[in-house]
Amino acid sequence: MLRMAALFALLLSASACVSVLPSPSVAADFDGSKPLVCTVITVNECLPGEECQTVSPGSVNLPQYLWVDVAKKIIQDKKAEEGRKSRIESVKRVDGKLSLQGAEEGRPDVRDGFGWTVAIMEDTGQMVLSASGDMVAISAFGVCTSY
């Protein structure tokens, strides 16, 4: 009976995992052909000589939600036109990932410019963002959905 219960639990777990996999029609949503909204879930800040720290998105001036429009080559912090915008300079599809890259000048008279990369897994919509600036590196993880 114990063996039967373990087998049932294993089958239930396996079916739960299969049910959350995207269908082939959904996977196309993450190839850049449709606008996306990405939710930033985890952010890490790394400084030289220190261990990386998990921080809130706001503490490193990163919005929690990113609206991505590959056709317009724009990533912005609000769907509305008045939001902060960053130009996507490079778009490549590499090994099942949509890779977007750009760079920002930052504020006048402050060395706070940075380069960034966003990689979106085409089969799941999971996202990894990396940004580097003046002796600082930011990594963020999240998930995207089409809108």
Side-chain angles (χ1 to χ4, degrees), residues 11-137:
L11 290 174
L12 187 60
S13 297
S15 68
C17 290
V18 170
S19 68
V20 297
L21 293 175
S23 67
S25 63
V26 174
D29 289 350
F30 309 115
D31 65 1
S33 61
K34 297 179 182 178
L36 303 170
V37 62
C38 301
T39 302
V40 176
I41 298 170
T42 304
V43 179
N44 300 300
E45 179 181 41
C46 304
L47 302 170
E50 298 180 26
E51 288 191 27
C52 296
Q53 301 291 318
T54 300
V55 296
S56 69
S59 70
V60 293
N61 204 23
L62 180 65
Q64 181 147 16
Y65 302 100
L66 300 169
W67 277 263
V68 179
D69 192 326
V70 175
K72 293 180 181 176
K73 291 198 164 194
I74 294 289
I75 293 181
Q76 60 190 58
D77 66 349
K78 294 182 181 171
K79 191 174 178 184
E81 289 299 314
E82 71 272 3
R84 273 186 349 201
K85 294 181 182 178
S86 185
R87 178 142 178 78
I88 300 170
E89 301 294 335
S90 171
V91 177
K92 293 190 180 187
R93 293 178 70 193
V94 179
D95 199 23
K97 293 173 281 300
L98 177 63
S99 180
L100 313 173
Q101 294 181 312
E104 295 302 316
E105 283 290 331
R107 298 169 289 184
D109 301 322
V110 179
R111 282 185 62 150
D112 62 348
F114 57 92
W116 55 265
T117 299
V118 173
I120 300 169
M121 309 315 118
E122 291 182 341
D123 58 344
T124 64
Q126 292 176 313
M127 172 198 75
V128 178
L129 178 148
S130 59
S132 57
D134 209 11
M135 301 307 292
V136 63

